[in-house]
Amino acid sequence: MTGTQERLRLVQRRLPAGLKRFARLVWVNYQGAQLFAINLVGHIPSHPFRRFMYRHVFGVRIGQGSILHWQTRFFHPSGVRIGDYCNIGNNAFLDGRGSLTIGNRVATGAEVMIYTLQHDIDSPTFDTTGGPVIIEDYVYIGPRAIILPNVRIGTGAVVAAGAVVAKDVPAFAIVGGVPAQFIRERTRNLNYRPDFAMPFQ
């Protein structure tokens, strides 16, 4: 459980029952409205419009030249930071509750899911647990891969399609499988932009 969650829980314990129910109703509806609005933005067929809304309305920090494709979904968008010249595939799920940092020139395939918090199945109260996910520069994450909380993916690493990453991935390693395991090393002389910029841009 994070420090913020613990403080909220302490405040909640001191509230009268009726006020607790009202506060929960407001919080759930606020979260639902925010998720609905940001997911609606993901259906607009315009990169510049989506980028503007994500940055200036929902607080996602997006670097120069980065593209978030169709139907990107978020939890706690203000906890998501994306570097320069990244290409996030369609239908990605980005969880900023525990802080998600994506470096420069990172690319993902479609339907990638990145979680920073999850439920503790051994907790009597099913509390959340987890922590930051850090994805360093030049990483490629294949389609439908899942990144779990408290993971760092090193510079130039590759996560194969459908892999489930539950522990740190060393720089320039290629990993795959469930759970993800080392396959081989990737070349180290990387110098590309995965944003598909036209030559005149």
Side-chain angles (χ1 to χ4, degrees), residues 16 18 21 43 48 50 54 62 64 69 81 89 101 103 110-113 119 122 124 148-149 153-154 181-182 196 198:
R21 286 193 296 272
H43 288 77
R50 290 198 302 269
Y54 292 150
I62 305 174
Q64 176 183 354
H69 286 277
R81 172 177 285 179
T101 302
E111 300 182 9
V112 164
M113 294 187 286
H119 285 285
D122 293 318
L148 295 178
I153 300 179
Q181 302 291 329
F182 178 81
F196 305 129
M198 298 297 288

Side-chain angles (χ1 to χ4, degrees), residues 65-190:
S66 288
I67 297 169
L68 281 76
H69 286 277
W70 181 255
Q71 297 185 40
T72 303
R73 291 161 292 143
F74 294 88
F75 266 173
H76 194 67
S78 63
V80 176
R81 172 177 285 179
I82 299 169
D84 298 336
Y85 305 115
C86 293
N87 192 325
I88 307 300
N90 63 282
N91 296 88
F93 174 81
L94 307 177
D95 177 7
R97 292 172 297 171
S99 179
L100 169 58
T101 302
I102 297 174
N104 302 316
R105 305 186 184 216
V106 171
T108 81
E111 300 182 9
V112 164
M113 294 187 286
I114 305 174
Y115 289 91
T116 60
L117 292 179
Q118 60 188 355
H119 285 285
D120 180 358
I121 59 171
D122 293 318
S123 165
T125 54
F126 204 46
D127 285 333
T128 54
T129 184
V133 169
I134 299 171
I135 298 170
E136 297 181 358
D137 301 346
Y138 288 109
V139 168
Y140 174 65
I141 301 174
R144 294 195 171 182
I146 299 173
I147 313 300
L148 295 178
N150 271 327
V151 163
R152 177 185 287 267
I153 300 179
T155 299
V158 174
V159 176
V164 177
V165 179
K167 61 183 182 181
D168 291 354
V169 177
F172 303 103
I174 299 175
V175 300
V178 182
Q181 302 291 329
F182 178 81
I183 298 172
R184 67 175 176 86
E185 289 261 333
R186 185 186 190 189
T187 183
R188 291 174 179 260
N189 56 338
L190 303 173

